Amino acid sequence: MLLNGIGSHLLFVACVALATFVQSLTGFAFGLVLLGLVAMLHLAPLAVAANVVTVMVLANAAVIVRTAPDLPRALIVPAFGSSLIGVGLGACLLAWMSDHAIGVLRLALGLAILACSLLLVLRTQVREQLSSAPSFAFFGVLSGIMGGVFASAGPPMVFHLYRQPLDRVVVRDTLVLLFAVNAVLRLVIVLAQGRFDHASLALSLEALPVVLGVTWLARRHPPQWSPLTVRRIVFLLLLVAGGSLVAPALSPT
């Protein structure tokens, strides 16, 4: 299940462009959108696609991150520390599932995408005070596990941070840096496991100019859509991608 022919490569590039555009609109979900589309269209193995997402997360962070986020150190340490533990667990889980339970892996990805779609439409009440350090550690480890398995650490921490009484720039910078730190560790782990193969490198090089180009265009010429319209469009996209992975796993054979 690898890209074969010009048509498949063009389809992969289109998926990368769409995922990058979604990322520019929402601030997250690049990995889940790309993985969902690649899995739905059977363009490449999930492990290879996850490796591509890891490299793209680092490239995106290199463009965006300029300074450390203005988040209290008492919260940064548990959030980032627990997420790194989660990445290690998730990467090991991915290695086992890729070899022994690929069907379960596709189902888990579909459920994660559906959960992410629901986060976009649920209205969250902003807290009056910052949550406790243990809560940041809890959501950090959940994000880390998702980052290790799917190279997509977004949904748990996105949900938690957007409920905090924090400036949106602080939230954005915290998320981007968290994703980058997780991606570095995940890349080290998959390299040590020998699971970053030639296909992962080739597709990463293919995707990189698309990600950088679409990100630049989206920032220079952002679409004049309302937040509600954006959420609805991304919700439908994730719903289709996630449903296409979950339905075959649940349907009787």
Side-chain angles (χ1 to χ4, degrees):
M1 191 170 62
L2 285 171
L3 273 68
N4 187 15
I6 296 178
S8 296
H9 283 275
L10 290 176
L11 193 56
F12 172 74
V13 167
C15 291
V16 172
L18 181 57
T20 306
F21 183 63
V22 170
Q23 171 80 14
S24 70
L25 294 175
T26 65
F28 73 106
F30 169 82
L32 289 180
V33 171
L34 183 58
L35 286 175
L37 293 175
V38 167
M40 181 176 68
L41 299 173
H42 299 279
L43 293 176
L46 286 179
V48 171
N51 288 342
V52 175
V53 171
T54 299
V55 177
M56 295 307 102
V57 167
L58 289 174
N60 187 55
V63 173
I64 295 176
V65 174
R66 291 293 178 267
T67 59
D70 189 19
L71 192 71
R73 183 175 297 275
L75 300 179
I76 286 183
V77 173
F80 280 61
S82 63
S83 71
L84 292 177
I85 295 174
V87 169
L89 295 173
C92 293
L93 182 60
L94 173 64
W96 182 85
M97 294 176 74
S98 297
D99 294 336
H100 302 95
I102 190 63
V104 176
L105 180 60
R106 290 176 64 87
L107 174 61
L109 174 60
L111 292 175
I113 293 173
L114 291 178
C116 182
S117 70
L118 292 177
L119 290 180
L120 286 170
V121 295
L122 288 176
R123 295 195 175 193
T124 57
Q125 186 70 30
V126 177
R127 296 171 55 90
E128 295 183 0
Q129 295 182 336
L130 285 171
S131 297
S132 64
S135 71
F136 273 83
F138 173 74
F139 283 97
V141 75
L142 289 182
S143 288
I145 291 173
M146 284 197 64
V149 177
F150 303 123
S152 304
M157 191 56 76
V158 167
F159 174 76
H160 191 54
L161 279 177
Y162 274 102
R163 294 173 61 236
Q164 307 302 316
L166 295 169
D167 184 81
R168 290 296 176 259
V169 175
V170 175
V171 172
R172 182 201 66 190
D173 292 349
T174 300
L175 290 173
V176 171
L177 188 58
L178 178 69
F179 300 161
V181 170
N182 286 351
V184 169
L185 178 59
R186 187 184 187 280
L187 185 59
V188 170
I189 292 174
V190 295
L191 285 172
Q193 293 174 336
R195 292 180 178 272
F196 194 93
D197 55 11
H198 174 74
S200 299
L201 177 60
L203 292 182
S204 295
L205 294 175
E206 190 171 307
L208 183 59
V210 179
V211 170
L212 296 178
V214 172
T215 300
W216 181 83
L217 284 174
R219 290 191 167 204
R220 289 291 301 270
H221 308 286
Q224 302 302 313
W225 298 344
S226 69
L228 179 60
T229 299
V230 170
R231 288 198 302 269
R232 286 175 175 174
I233 293 174
V234 178
F235 169 74
L236 291 175
L237 176 63
L238 292 174
L239 194 64
V240 171
S244 69
L245 297 176
V246 172
L250 299 181
S251 61
T253 55

